[in-house]
Structure formats: C-alpha cells, structure tokens
C-alpha cells in the first residue's frame, strides 16, 4: 500500500514542477502537441490532473492502459496482505482479467505505456523526435540547455520515487548465479552471462521481458559439487541450493553474446525501441543464435526472500517474500549517522589510495543515483561499488536487513580494504624510493632514445638488429661456398630466439652479442695469395739487411707454395735473440704474400680462454684471440704472428700450450672449436708464424709441428750497415732534424716505421731548413757505438743510442747561433764526441785479459742475446794443513786437496767441471807422470760475471785446458778461443750456436777458434766475411785440442 508520506511528497513534487513540466513536455513532443496528447494517453492524463493528488494520477494511468473507464490497478501492484485472504483472491482474479485481455489496441497502448511509464515519466520520446521538435519550434540553445538540465534533475527525483512502486509479485522466475550479488536501490545495470545450453531459461526471460511485468528473482547459489558445476543447468537444484535472500531484478535487455553491435542505453536502461511514422514504436528482436550463450542485463529494485521453489523447471519458478527497507526512524539516529560518516570517510580514503575507485565512485556520484542521506543505500552503495570483497562476504551484506548490522558489516569490509591499500601504498612508496633514481634514469634514457630515433640518430631497435643480422647472412651466402650448414642452423635458431626476447632483458643482449660475432666472421672471404718470388725478394731485401740464409729459407717456403697453390699446413718458428727482426720478418712475409697481418703475444699467458674463448654463460664472455683476429682482418686466411711463444705460462685456468696445439696443428685446426662460438671454424687456411728467443721452453709436441728458422745476431759490419741504412735516417726523421722529403732518400724501412709523419707545413719546412745538412754520424762513431756501447746480438740498443744522439742534436740546433749553424764541422759527430752524447763506454776492451795468465782460457758461449766470450779462470792453493816429517816420502804427500767452483753455474755446467778435472788429471799423468799438482793443491775454478746464471755443456774443453794450463804453468795464446762438450773419455761432442759464437770471437779479436769436428758443416754455411782472418781447427778428441792449445809442449 502507498503511504500517506509518499503521496504527499509526490503531490508536492508535481505542484512545484508545474511550469517546468509543461514546458519540457512541449519541447520533447513538439512535432504536434495535439497529436502527442491524442497518441499518448498517459502524458495527456498527467497534464490534465497535474494539480490533483497522486491517487488520481494512478487511476487515470491504469484506465488508459486497460481501456476501461473505471480506474483499477492490478493485484500485483500492492504488497500482499496476509491478513486478508479474500482481498488476495480478488486481486488474483483482477490480475487474471487484466492479463488475458485480447484487445490489440490494449496491447499496443500497454506496450507504449510500459516503455514510457516504467521509464522516466518525461523521457518517452526518442532522440530523433527531440531533434525534429527543436528544429520546428526554433528554440534557442540557451532554452534547450536550461530545459534539459531541469529535466535531468526531475528524472533523477522521479526515479527515486518510482523505486517505491515496484510491484510485489508473489511468484517470479528464479535465475541462479555465482557472481557478485546485486544490491537494490542503486541506479546501475549489471550483466549476467549464461551458456547456450540454457535455451529454456532464455525463452522464459524473453517472454517475461515482453510482458508488462519484466521482473525476475536473482538468487546466488551456494557451493555446488563438481558434477553440478560442469552441467549446463544443474538438475539437483532445490530450496537449499540457494541463499535465503536475493533481489527482485528488472530485465533491462536480453541478447545473444554474438550481438556485438547492439548497445544498451544505461541512462534509459529499459529496452531498445524504434520510431515508426513518428508515433509507433516497436521492440527489436534478439538474435536467435545462442551458440556462444546469451547475456541478460538486470537492475535490482528490492531484497526478496526465497520461500519455496514451486517449479523445478528448467527454468525454476519460486515463491518469494518481499523485504522492505527498514524505517530508519526505528534505529538510533546517532549510531546510523556515525556509521554513515565513517563509511563515507573510509570510502574517501580508499578513493585516494586507488585511482580506479575514484573514477568509479565519481561516475556514480555524477549519475545522482544514490542519496547518501539514506543509511541503507549508503551500505548497499559501498558494498556494490567499493568493497573488493569476495562474493560470499557480499552475500552476507545482502542477507543483512537491519541497518546497523548492515552498516557494521560493510564498514568492516571497507576497513580491511583501506588497510590493504595503506600497506600496498607503503610498499610502493618504499620501492619507489629505492628504484626512483634508476627509474628516473631509465625514463630519461628511453626518452633520449625516442628523441634520437625521431632525429634519425639512432635506429638500433630490435627490428633493426634482426634486419642487420639477416642482411649479413645474405651477404655471406652470396660468396661460394657460403656459411657452413651447421653454423647457418645455429644462426637461424638464435634469430628465432631473439625475436621472442624483451629488448631490455639481459638474455637479449647476450643473444645480440653472440649473433654479432657469428655474422661478422669472414666465413667465405679469402685473400688471394701472391707467390711472386721477385716481389718477395725485394720486400725482404728492402726491410732487412743480411740474414741471407733466413731470406733464402723464406723464398723456398714461398716457392713451394707457388707450386702447390697454397702455403697452408706449415707453421714457421723464427728463433733468435731480441732485436734481430723476427717480428718485422713476419710482416714482410705477409706483405710478400699479399695477406692481412695480425699479431698477438702469448708471453706470460696462463688462461686457456685467451686462446679458445670464454663460455657464454660468463658475464663479459668473449671469443679467443684467433676469432678476434678473423674479425679484425675480415679474411679467413690472414698471416697470424704468435709472438713470444716460448714464454707461455701455466695456471689454474688450464694449459695454453695445449690449446695452442689444437689451433696450430694442421690436422686439427680444420674444425677449430672456440668455446664462445661453439661452432667449428676452419683455421687451416691461416698461415701461422711464431717467434721465440729459445726453443728450450717450448713443449715438445708443439715444437715438433713447427719448422724452425734460426736468426743469428749481427756482427760489427752488419750493425754499421744497418745503422747507416735504416736506424740513422729514421732517427733523424723522428727527432725533426730533417724534412719529410728525406724519406725518399732513405730506405723503405723508414717508410714502414710505426711513426708515419704527415706532410710538413710550410712553417715546419722553414724551421727545418735552418738545420745544417751536415748533421750525421761518422762511420767510426757508429763502429764505436756498436763495439763499446752496444754489444748485444740485435740492434735495438744501438737504435736507442742513435735516437738519443739525435735528440741532443735537435736541442743543440735550437740553442745554436747563426755562426754555429753555418759551421759544418760543428754538426758532424765523431768517435771522440760520443761521450758528450751517450756518456762513457760500457766496455773498454774486447777482452777481459790482453795476455791471459796460466789457468785462464777464453771460451765461447751462446745466450738469448747472441754469442759472447766466456773466460774460464782457475787457480791453486797449497795444502798448508798437511805436515810432513823427515822420514815421509813424496808418495805420502800426494793427497786430494779439494776442488771448488763459483760463478752462478748450473747443474750441467757443474758436472762439466768434474769431468774436466778428471780428464785433466788423466791427461797430466800421460804427459807428466811425476807432476803431483792436483794431489797437493786445492783448485778453485771461477767463471766471471758471477751475477749472470750460466749453464750448458759446451765449456768442457775450455775448463780442461784451463786446468792443464794451471798445472803446467803454461799460458795459452791470447788469440785462442774454443768451445765443445767433453766426454769422460776425452771425446769432443758438437754444440750449437756456432754462428753466434764465431761473431762473438771476431768481436773479441780472436784469430784461432777450436770447434768440434761435427760442427764443420756449420762453419761451411757461414758467410765468407765471417771466416775471413780466422783459423778454424776441428777436434774429435781432446788430444786435438791439446795440440793447438800447447803446441810447444806437444
């Protein structure tokens, strides 16, 4: 029943809005005001009785819809009164009479009434009619805007009033659901989806929607078993399957899920209409296809209780009890107000923490659907729109009818969400503080990248990388035979993997680096070898002086390559002292063959990864030296110079010598596997040239695969020629005492020097023209430098001294007067002036002894720096501790007084001293049996330069000669030098380094050299100028040595 309060409010509402209603009605139905009155009886009746009470309004409305002159309302309009059975029966009969009326006119008017009456009272006309009426009436924009605003306010107020007049149906169609429950009293529409198998439910909903009572009961199901959950419509549903409280919901729209183009006007959310002839409207039909299911749009009006299920269906029909909103006057107003304020405050806090809720709540407030002064609506609004609780908790709120308990439950949910939001906010704040700086840098870098892309300064995005790598592969495959199939498969897999990776991930950069190496290697690029012997000879003679045997061996190597068409399969090892030109010879070979040159040193290398690369799992992993060489040279057949191969080390990271063996061995390097690439690479086309100072420290298996070419040191004439042709012109150019054109007058060695000066400017040429052209080193000065300052086998130290001289000359030029500059004698450096530029000589004589005493003999030794003269000194001391008496004979005084050696001798050399002592005693007994020198004397043998370690067997004959010279008190010739290993029986065994030793002997002014007989072939290979002025004697036994050393005693 309608309360007097509601009637009074409705009456006062109509009275206050009299003028506005008339104006808005005329605007919205301006096509024909009279026509509108005739075609819409509800509206015309409303205007006619606008000043009467609301009961008369209802009577006229029902009379117009039913076509009856008597004003009657159906039985379902009022809430049933259980105390009056007769009234309920009478209402039921009236309801049946109204529902079964067959009149076509009645049906049309009823449909029109339902569309307008259930909607907003003054919004029944379509948008098209409004546009037409505005055009015809010529209303100005200001009036329309003012009228629309007033109309919107009135519609919202009428919606609130109309919610009190939802019919009280005793039975409804029961629609089950498992989603969040709907809450009544709020002007919002929710959709529920159902499967296409529930065709019966769809038909029932369609029928109800088309009737004048489009209301259903929406109840949430309780927990179902697995079988019921998987079924289209659970057959086991009964009264206990549902919660006790649901909502009476109005069907706003119903359509299949396939109907994507249809839209629902949620501002007027009742049904979709079309205008026909400006007066007739008909309802759209929903698509019949239910393959993908259907969706129903519902709006909740009030709470209902589930009394019983009267039809098991499908679909279900249930008997319900309507639950009205409790009267707030029956509760403590202070408590309700406190709850309402706290809920409002909590919602504000949640909105501040959650921007999404801010937008959601703002939308509801703009719609004006919730009157926040009603406590029940406050609770339902908070539960429906704000509380992010699970459906069970929300159902508990729906089950609660009492206002205070409902507000309390909702407040608890809101407080939980507020606390959760605060915790999340604190976590976000702490995280933001930690990553704020990095995030700011990241954002700025990303913006910088975008700016660079816009300016065309950067195109290295993901697609750019992929395109670059694919283009590289295409270019490599254009050259026969193309990339090996195994490598091609790895590249394709890595490209596919890279496409799925995020650009900023660490794995993406690892994959990018790996593809960079795979695609930049010269898998198919080779340089063409030049086997022109004439060109090779010119290059070697241009860059190096002397070394005839070495040049000849290199030309032989190139000649074999010319006949075979390839020089692969050979490993050259250049062995010689420092400064003799091993590295420059490697460069000359590369230039002669027209091959790219690459050098890397393995001296001190103890990590096998430097040769074979690192595993890609390590941070900063890179390929080994060989792969880096191929990338740098961009050909698969460069000349690779492996420098200092005799100085490799070993450590905890493997043995580099063994890894180098795999790289250099022609039988293994056809499929050299680098750890980083993890694909085989054919390194057999690479020409390897290695350098070393000695072969003693090179592992045997590695040395066995190399072809050794030995480079001896330079003698005095060679050093003078090298200084005049190469070192001096280069020193002049680098010190600035000659103009650049002088390059053409100097050797090409200067042109190929590391310091390649650019063409001088006119100002520089003017300055250099002031330098006297007579600046030079005399030949005698260069000889003195080589003899008294630089005795090493190479010319590196000689070059340093010459550069030092010309630097001082440059300083002298700048300090000199005009008169001094014009004096040519002032700028020629002689031997006597060397001390002014390079200091005092380091050596004052070629010999340690001009006339050696008895017990001193010159030997010849080989070192890493070339050959050198090595003196062996010996002396004796009488055995003073031995006391003799008159009756003692000579035999009793013959004792071994001891033997001592000094001079940093190695184990091999110490053994040679014992052998020399034994053989000297044996030889002395043969030539002078009565001589008891070794028995009655202590012998001390010393090798000068005690700070220098010495070792080797080649001093055996020299030690024996020194001991016999001491025992016989006879000095050997000062022009005599010897070398050779001595066996215990007196055999003279061959030794190495003959050329270096001969050069050292010539440097010391030796005229007679004794060598082992088996070294005769080495002497035959010496250049003629080295043999000039020197007599060579070859000994098979020590007796041959003795005859040359002591000719007067033989």
């Amino acid at each position: 029943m309608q309360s007097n309060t509601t009637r009074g409010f409705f009456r006062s509402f109509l009275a206050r809005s009299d003028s506005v209603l008339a104006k808005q009605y005329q605007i919205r139905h301006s096509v024909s005001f009279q026509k509108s009155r005739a075609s819409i009886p509800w509206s015309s009746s409303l205007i006619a009785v606008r000043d009467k009470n609301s009961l008369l309004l209802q009577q006229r409305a029902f009379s117009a819809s039913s076509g009856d002159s008597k004003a009657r309302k159906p039985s379902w309009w009022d809430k049933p009164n259980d105390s009056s059975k007769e009234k309920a029966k009478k209402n039921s009969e009236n309801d049946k009479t109204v529902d079964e009326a067959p009149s076509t006119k009645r049906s049309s008017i009823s449909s029109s009434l339902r569309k307008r009456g259930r909607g907003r009272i003054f919004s029944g006309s379509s948008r098209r009619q409004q546009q037409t009426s505005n055009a015809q009436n010529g209303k100005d924009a200001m009036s329309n805007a003012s009228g629309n605003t007033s109309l919107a306010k009135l519609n919202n107020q009428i919606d609130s009033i109309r919610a009190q007049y939802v019919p009280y149906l005793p039975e409804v169609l029961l629609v089950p659901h498992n989603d969040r429950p709907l809450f009544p009293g709020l002007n919002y529409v929710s959709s529920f989806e159902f499967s296409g198998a529930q065709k019966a439910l769809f038909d029932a909903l369609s029928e109800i929607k088309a009737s004048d009572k489009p209301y259903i009961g929406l109840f949430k199901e309780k927990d179902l078993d697995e079988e019921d959950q998987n079924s289209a419509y659970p057959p086991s549903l009964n009264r206990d399957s549902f919660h006790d409280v649901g909502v009476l919901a109005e069907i706003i729209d119903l359509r299949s899920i396939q109907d994507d183009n249809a839209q629902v006007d949620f501002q007027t959310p009742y049904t979709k209409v079309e205008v026909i002839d400006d007066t007739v409207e008909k309802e759209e039909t929903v698509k019949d296809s239910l393959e993908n299911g259907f969706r129903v749009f519902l709006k909740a009006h009030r709470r209902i209780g589930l009394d019983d299920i009267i039809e098991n269906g499908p679909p279900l029909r249930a008997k319900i009890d309507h639950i009205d909103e409790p009267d707030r006057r029956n509760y403590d107003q202070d408590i309700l107000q406190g709850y309402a304020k706290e809920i409002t405050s909590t919602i504000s806090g949640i909105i501040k923490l959650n921007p999404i809720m801010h937008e959601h709540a703002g939308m509801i407030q703009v719609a004006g659907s919730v009157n926040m002064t009603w406590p029940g609506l406050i609770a339902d609004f908070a539960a429906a729109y704000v509380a992010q609780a699970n459906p069970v908790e929300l159902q508990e709120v729906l089950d609660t009818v009492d206002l205070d308990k409902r507000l309390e439950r909702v407040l608890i949910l809101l407080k939980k969400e507020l606390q959760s939001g605060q915790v999340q906010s604190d976590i976000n704040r702490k995280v933001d503080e930690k990553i704020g700086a990095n995030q700011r840098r990241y954002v700025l870098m990303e913006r910088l990248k975008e700016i660079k892309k816009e300016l065309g300064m950067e195109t290295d995005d993901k697609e750019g990388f992929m395109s670059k790598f694919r283009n590289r592969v295409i270019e490599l495959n254009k050259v026969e035979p193309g990339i090996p199939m195994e490598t091609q498969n790895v590249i394709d897999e890595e490209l596919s993997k890279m496409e799925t990776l995020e650009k900023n991930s660490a794995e993406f950069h690892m994959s990018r680096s790996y593809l960079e190496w795979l695609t930049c290697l010269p898998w198919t690029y080779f340089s063409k070898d030049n086997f022109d012997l004439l060109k090779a000879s010119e290059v070697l003679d241009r860059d190096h002086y002397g070394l005839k045997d070495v040049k000849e061996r290199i030309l032989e190597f190139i000649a074999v390559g010319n006949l075979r068409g390839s020089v692969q399969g050979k490993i050259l090892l250049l062995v010689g002292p420092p400064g003799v030109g091993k590295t420059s010879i490697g460069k000359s070979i590369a230039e002669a063959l027209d091959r790219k040159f690459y050098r890397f040193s393995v001296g001190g290398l103890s990590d096998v990864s430097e040769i074979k690369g690192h595993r890609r799992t390590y941070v900063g992993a890179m390929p080994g030296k060989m792969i880096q060489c191929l990338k740098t040279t961009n050909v698969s057949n460069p000349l690779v110079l492996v420098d200092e191969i005799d100085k490799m080390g070993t450590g905890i990271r493997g043995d580099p010598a063994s890894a180098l063996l795999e790289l250099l061995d022609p039988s293994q390097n056809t499929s050299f596997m680098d750890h980083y690439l993890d694909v085989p690479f054919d390194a057999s086309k690479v020409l390897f040239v290695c350098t070393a100072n000695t072969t003693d420290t090179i592992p045997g298996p590695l040395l066995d695969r190399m072809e050794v070419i030995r480079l001896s040191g330079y003698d005095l004439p060679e050093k003078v020629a090298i200084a005049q042709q190469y070192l001096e012109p280069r020193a002049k150019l680098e010190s600035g005492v000659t103009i650049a054109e002088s390059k053409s007058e100097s050797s090409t060695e200067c042109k190929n020097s590391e310091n390649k000066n650019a063409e001088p400017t006119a100002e520089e040429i003017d300055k250099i023209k002031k330098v006297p052209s007579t600046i030079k080193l005399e030949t005698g000065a260069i000889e003195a430098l080589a003899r008294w300052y630089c005795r090493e086998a190479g010319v590196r130290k000689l070059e340093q001294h010459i550069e030092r001289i010309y630097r001082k000359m440059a300083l002298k030029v700048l300090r000199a007067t005009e008169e001094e500059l014009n004096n040519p004698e002032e700028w020629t450096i002689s031997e006597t002036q060397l001390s002014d530029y390079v200091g005092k000589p380091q050596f004052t004589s070629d010999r340690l002894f001009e006339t050696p005493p008895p017990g001193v003999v010159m030997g010849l030794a080989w070192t890493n720096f070339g050959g050198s003269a090595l003196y062996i000194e010996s002396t004796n001391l009488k055995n003073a501790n031995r006391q003799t008496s008159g009756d003692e004979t000579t035999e009793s005084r013959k004792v071994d007084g001891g033997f001592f050696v000094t001079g940093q001798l190695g184990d091999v050399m110490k053994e040679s001293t014992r052998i020399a002592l034994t053989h000297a005693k044996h030889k002395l007994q043969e030539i002078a049996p009565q001589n008891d020198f070794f028995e009655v004397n202590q012998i001390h043998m010393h090798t000068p330069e005690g700070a220098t370690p010495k070792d080797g067997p080649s001093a055996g004959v020299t030690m024996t000669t020194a001991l016999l010279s001491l025992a016989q008190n006879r000095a050997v010739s000062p022009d005599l030098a010897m070398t050779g290993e001595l066996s215990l029986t007196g055999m003279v065994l061959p030794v190495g380094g003959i050329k270096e030793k001969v050069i050292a002997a010539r440097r010391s002014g030796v005229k007679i050299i004794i060598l082992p007989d088996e070294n005769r072939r080495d002497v035959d290979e010496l250049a003629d100028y080295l043999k000039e002025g020197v007599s060579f004697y070859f000994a098979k036994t020590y007796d041959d040595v003795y005859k040359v050393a002591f000719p007067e005693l033989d």
Side-chain angles (χ1 to χ4, degrees):
M1 297 294 294
Q2 300 176 5
S3 64
N4 293 329
T5 303
T6 306
R7 292 173 179 174
F9 178 81
F10 196 18
R11 185 184 302 112
S12 62
F13 160 72
L14 291 175
R16 288 194 308 267
S17 306
D18 180 50
S19 60
V20 178
L21 293 177
K23 182 177 181 179
Q24 292 303 320
Y25 181 82
Q26 183 179 5
I27 293 175
R28 297 175 60 87
H29 303 276
S30 59
V31 177
S32 175
F33 184 75
Q34 297 297 328
K35 186 176 181 180
S36 298
R37 292 182 60 188
S39 60
I40 307 177
W42 168 278
S43 300
S44 60
S45 299
L46 178 63
I47 297 299
V49 300
R50 61 182 181 274
D51 56 344
K52 298 185 179 294
N53 57 31
S54 59
L55 180 61
L56 181 60
L57 173 65
Q58 295 182 31
Q59 291 175 351
R60 290 186 177 276
F62 296 134
S63 176
S65 61
S66 60
D68 192 359
S69 59
K70 276 189 174 184
R72 291 189 298 114
K73 56 183 177 181
S75 61
W76 44 264
W77 185 265
D78 290 330
K79 181 178 180 180
N81 188 355
D82 296 336
S83 62
S84 180
K85 295 183 179 180
E86 293 181 358
K87 185 177 182 178
K89 182 177 180 181
K90 184 178 180 180
N91 291 337
S92 176
E93 293 176 356
N94 294 336
D95 187 21
K96 182 177 180 181
T97 303
V98 173
D99 291 343
E100 293 178 357
S103 174
T104 306
K105 178 180 180 181
R106 171 181 172 275
S107 176
S108 175
I109 297 176
S110 177
S111 176
S112 176
L113 173 64
R114 183 174 69 251
K115 294 173 181 177
R116 291 172 171 80
R118 283 202 323 274
R120 294 173 175 81
I121 295 177
F122 302 105
S123 61
S125 298
S126 65
R127 190 179 306 272
R128 187 183 305 173
Q129 289 174 327
Q130 181 179 354
Q131 294 174 353
T132 305
S133 65
N134 289 340
Q136 292 177 354
N137 294 328
K139 302 296 183 178
D140 55 75
M142 186 63 68
S143 299
N144 288 338
S146 176
N148 290 336
T149 304
S150 301
L151 179 63
K153 293 181 180 179
L154 292 175
N155 283 334
N156 289 335
Q157 294 179 9
I158 293 174
D159 280 341
S160 300
I161 297 171
R162 186 187 147 279
Q164 304 294 329
Y165 296 94
V166 176
Y168 290 83
L169 300 176
E171 300 175 2
V172 293
L173 178 72
L174 191 152
V175 178
H177 75 94
N178 276 315
D179 298 329
R180 290 168 55 94
L182 290 182
F183 287 88
L186 305 178
N187 188 23
Y188 78 101
V189 177
S190 294
S191 65
F192 294 84
E193 293 185 3
F194 298 90
S195 65
Q198 302 186 37
K199 182 68 167 56
L201 178 61
F202 178 82
D203 294 339
L205 291 173
S206 300
E207 181 180 355
I208 293 175
K209 178 179 179 292
S211 69
D212 56 353
K213 296 178 291 185
Y215 300 97
I216 55 98
L218 186 68
F219 288 88
K220 177 173 171 49
E221 300 175 16
K222 295 181 179 179
D223 295 336
L224 301 178
D225 54 21
E226 183 177 358
E227 181 180 356
D228 289 342
Q229 290 179 357
N230 295 332
S231 62
Y233 200 93
S236 60
L237 291 178
N238 51 39
R239 169 64 183 79
D240 297 332
S241 301
F242 300 94
H243 288 275
D244 294 334
V245 179
V247 292
L248 182 67
E250 182 180 359
I251 303 176
I252 304 302
D253 194 14
L254 177 68
R255 66 169 181 260
S256 63
I257 295 179
Q258 291 180 348
D259 191 7
D260 296 330
N261 295 326
Q263 300 293 331
V264 178
D265 183 7
F266 294 113
Q267 298 299 324
T268 311
Y270 300 112
T271 187
K272 296 173 289 184
V273 297
E274 291 182 355
V275 178
I276 303 179
D277 296 333
D278 295 330
T279 58
V280 182
E281 300 176 355
K282 71 175 185 178
E283 184 178 358
E284 281 188 350
T285 59
V286 184
K287 291 187 177 180
D288 296 333
S289 176
L290 299 178
E291 294 180 359
N292 297 327
F294 61 92
R295 183 181 293 113
V296 58
F297 296 86
L298 302 175
K299 178 180 179 180
H301 288 287
R302 71 165 63 94
R303 285 175 171 81
I304 57 175
L306 180 60
D307 188 5
D308 193 11
I309 295 179
I310 57 178
E311 292 184 13
N312 291 328
L316 299 172
R317 290 192 64 84
K319 184 178 181 181
I320 60 174
D321 295 327
H322 294 265
I323 303 174
D324 289 330
E325 189 73 13
D327 191 349
R328 62 179 178 177
R329 292 174 296 182
N330 298 331
Y331 296 87
D332 189 342
Q333 298 300 312
D334 294 337
I335 294 178
L336 294 181
Q337 187 176 5
Y339 274 124
K341 289 183 177 179
E342 185 62 24
I343 288 176
T344 304
S345 176
T346 306
I347 291 175
S348 299
I350 294 175
I351 290 174
K352 292 179 181 179
L353 296 175
N354 193 343
I356 299 178
M357 297 307 302
H358 176 72
E359 295 176 1
H360 202 180
M363 179 185 68
I364 302 304
Q365 292 174 1
V366 171
S369 299
V370 178
N371 190 339
M372 300 302 292
T373 62
W374 296 349
L377 287 181
I378 292 177
D380 292 342
F381 165 77
Y385 286 101
V386 180
Q388 301 295 317
N390 57 58
V392 177
E393 294 176 332
L394 297 179
Q395 180 64 38
E396 293 177 357
V397 176
L398 184 64
D399 293 341
T400 306
V401 179
D402 291 341
L403 293 180
D404 53 354
K405 293 182 180 180
R406 194 192 316 171
L407 291 170
E408 181 182 2
R409 286 182 182 273
V410 172
L411 183 58
I412 292 174
L413 295 179
L414 292 176
K415 289 295 183 181
K416 289 182 180 179
E417 181 157 349
L418 180 61
Q419 292 178 358
S420 176
Q422 290 173 347
V423 171
Q424 184 177 359
S425 178
D426 292 339
I427 294 174
N428 292 337
R429 178 180 54 81
K430 293 178 182 179
V431 173
D432 290 341
E433 290 177 355
K434 292 181 180 180
I435 67 174
N438 294 335
Q439 185 69 15
R440 180 174 179 272
R441 176 178 175 81
Y442 171 77
V443 171
L444 292 176
M445 291 300 296
E446 289 298 320
R447 290 181 179 176
L448 181 61
K449 289 180 181 178
E450 293 298 327
I451 292 173
K452 288 184 177 180
K453 287 181 181 179
E454 292 296 329
L455 296 176
M457 299 171 60
E458 179 179 325
T459 57
D460 287 341
D461 52 355
K462 183 176 179 179
E463 294 299 328
F465 288 132
M466 302 293 295
S467 176
K468 178 176 68 173
F469 295 144
R470 290 192 176 98
N471 291 337
R472 286 183 180 179
V473 173
I474 293 174
E475 292 297 326
L476 288 172
N477 286 326
K478 287 181 179 179
V479 182
E480 293 295 335
I483 300 177
M485 184 57 64
E486 182 176 355
T487 305
Q488 182 67 56
N489 294 336
V490 172
I491 293 176
D492 294 340
E493 292 177 2
E494 200 66 23
L495 285 172
S496 301
K497 172 186 174 183
M498 188 176 177
E499 288 180 344
T500 63
L501 297 176
E502 175 61 31
K503 179 184 176 182
N504 296 322
S505 65
E507 192 173 0
F508 177 85
H509 293 288
M510 291 177 61
S511 181
R512 169 194 167 187
S513 178
Y514 184 43
L515 285 171
E516 285 278 2
W517 282 101
L518 283 176
T519 57
C520 72
L521 293 181
W523 299 95
T524 58
Y525 298 152
F526 298 90
S527 60
K528 186 177 181 180
D529 291 332
N530 184 0
F531 298 110
D532 187 355
L533 291 178
L534 181 59
K535 177 185 176 182
S537 180
E538 290 177 353
V539 171
L540 292 173
D541 291 338
R542 179 198 67 193
D543 296 343
H544 300 87
Y545 180 85
L547 304 177
K548 182 179 179 180
D549 51 345
V550 176
K551 294 177 182 178
E552 193 69 20
R553 180 64 192 88
I554 293 173
L555 291 176
E556 293 173 2
F557 173 77
I558 296 176
V560 172
N562 191 0
L563 296 177
R564 294 182 57 213
S566 172
V567 293
Q568 68 183 76
K570 296 293 183 179
I571 308 172
L572 299 180
L573 175 61
L574 304 177
V575 181
V580 297
K582 299 184 295 295
T583 303
S584 60
I585 287 178
K587 292 181 180 179
S588 300
I589 297 174
E591 184 179 352
L593 294 174
D594 284 344
R595 286 200 177 194
K596 296 289 186 67
F597 177 79
Y598 185 86
R599 171 192 172 274
F600 69 90
S601 176
V602 295
L605 190 67
S606 60
D607 189 357
V608 70
S609 299
E610 294 293 330
I611 304 296
K612 299 199 66 177
H614 302 82
R615 302 286 183 184
R616 293 199 307 278
T617 54
Y618 296 106
V619 177
M622 289 187 64
K625 292 290 186 181
M626 187 65 237
I627 302 301
Q628 295 180 33
C629 158
L630 297 173
K631 179 183 178 182
T632 303
T633 59
N634 200 32
V635 290
S636 295
N637 60 337
L639 187 146
V640 178
L641 181 71
V642 185
D643 210 357
E644 309 293 350
I645 198 173
D646 58 326
K647 298 178 179 61
M648 280 191 301
T650 56
I652 60 174
R653 292 184 175 87
D655 183 12
S658 300
L660 200 61
L661 178 62
E662 178 186 355
L663 174 61
L664 300 181
D665 188 5
S667 61
Q668 301 182 46
N669 60 12
T670 53
S671 58
F672 174 71
M673 184 77 74
D674 185 272
H675 289 163
Y676 183 85
L677 294 184
D678 206 23
V679 292
F681 190 93
D682 185 7
S684 61
K685 306 294 190 300
V686 179
L687 176 59
F688 293 99
V689 177
C690 306
T691 66
N693 298 127
T694 180
T695 58
D696 297 341
T697 56
I698 300 176
L702 185 59
L703 182 63
D704 184 59
R705 289 167 170 80
M706 298 179 179
E707 186 171 350
V708 180
I709 300 178
R710 296 190 177 274
L711 282 76
S712 304
Y714 301 108
D715 60 358
L716 182 60
E718 290 177 330
K719 286 185 177 181
V720 172
I722 291 173
Q724 291 177 338
Q725 297 181 25
Y726 301 98
L727 305 182
E728 187 178 6
R730 185 161 57 199
K732 285 183 178 181
L733 189 62
E734 293 179 354
S735 60
V737 296
T738 185
I739 59 177
E741 283 82 2
S742 61
K743 286 184 181 180
S744 59
E745 300 175 1
S746 63
S747 64
T748 315
E749 175 76 12
C750 299
K751 296 180 182 179
N752 297 333
S753 64
E754 296 180 359
N755 185 10
K756 298 181 179 180
N757 296 335
E759 291 296 328
T761 62
E763 183 179 357
E764 292 174 345
I765 294 177
D766 292 339
K767 291 181 179 180
I768 295 175
K769 285 180 178 179
K770 298 179 180 179
V771 179
S773 59
T774 57
I775 292 182
K776 67 176 182 177
L777 281 170
E778 293 183 349
T779 304
I782 297 177
E783 291 180 354
L785 281 174
R787 175 173 293 181
W788 310 117
Y789 292 89
C790 313
R791 285 191 174 181
E792 83 281 1
V795 294
R796 188 166 294 155
K797 187 173 290 188
L798 178 60
E799 181 181 14
Q800 294 173 359
H801 279 74
I802 293 176
E803 290 176 352
R804 182 180 178 184
I805 291 172
Y806 276 99
R807 286 197 301 269
K808 290 184 176 294
M809 292 295 291
L811 179 61
K812 184 178 178 180
V813 167
L814 295 179
R815 290 177 175 177
T817 62
E818 191 69 26
E819 183 180 353
E820 291 175 341
L821 290 174
N822 295 327
N823 185 8
E825 298 180 357
E826 187 73 22
W827 307 103
T828 302
I829 304 172
S830 62
E831 181 180 354
T832 58
Q833 296 174 318
L834 286 178
S835 58
D836 297 336
Y837 294 94
V838 293
K840 298 297 181 182
Q842 297 182 12
F843 307 97
T844 57
S845 175
D846 288 328
R847 302 179 181 181
L848 186 60
F849 300 93
E850 291 296 334
T851 303
V856 177
V857 179
M858 181 190 297
L860 298 175
W862 181 92
T863 66
N864 292 336
F865 300 96
S868 64
L870 182 67
Y871 283 91
I872 301 295
E873 299 177 331
S874 61
T875 186
N876 66 299
L877 181 63
K878 292 284 185 180
N879 191 355
N881 295 329
R882 182 70 176 175
Q883 300 292 333
T884 59
S885 57
D887 57 349
E888 287 181 332
T889 62
T890 304
E891 293 294 331
S892 63
R893 295 195 305 270
K894 292 181 180 180
V895 295
D896 187 359
F899 182 71
F900 307 97
V901 292
T902 56
Q904 284 273 18
L905 305 182
D907 293 338
V908 177
M909 202 165 184
K910 288 179 180 179
E911 292 178 356
S912 295
T913 60
R914 299 300 300 178
I915 294 174
L917 177 62
T918 301
H919 191 75
K921 289 180 180 181
H922 176 72
K923 184 66 176 178
L924 186 61
Q925 289 178 358
E926 288 183 357
I927 59 177
Q930 72 283 2
N931 191 336
D932 58 353
F933 176 82
F934 294 108
E935 286 76 8
V936 299
N937 289 279
Q938 294 179 345
I939 308 299
H940 186 181
M941 181 178 290
H942 175 70
T943 305
E945 299 183 11
T948 304
K950 311 169 188 69
D951 202 2
S954 61
V957 294
T958 308
M959 292 177 179
T960 303
T961 303
L963 290 174
L964 290 175
S965 172
L966 180 64
Q968 298 178 87
N969 198 24
R970 296 283 185 178
V972 299
S973 171
D975 296 331
L976 175 66
M978 62 186 68
T979 182
E981 180 182 357
L982 182 66
S983 69
L984 186 61
T985 58
M987 297 293 296
V988 179
L989 304 180
V991 293
I994 297 301
K995 181 178 180 180
E996 291 82 357
K997 292 177 180 180
V998 171
I999 292 173
R1002 289 177 58 86
R1003 188 167 55 240
S1004 299
V1006 173
K1007 305 298 182 182
I1008 302 173
I1009 300 177
I1010 302 176
L1011 300 173
D1013 185 69
E1014 294 186 16
N1015 288 117
R1016 190 187 298 271
R1017 63 180 183 276
D1018 298 318
V1019 175
D1020 295 340
E1021 294 177 356
L1022 294 176
D1024 294 338
Y1025 74 92
L1026 291 177
K1027 295 184 290 184
E1028 184 179 353
V1030 178
S1031 299
F1032 292 93
Y1033 293 89
F1034 301 97
K1036 292 184 178 180
T1037 63
Y1038 185 75
D1039 293 339
D1040 300 332
V1041 177
Y1042 187 83
K1043 294 177 181 179
V1044 178
F1046 306 102
E1048 72 280 2
L1049 299 177
D1050 184 42

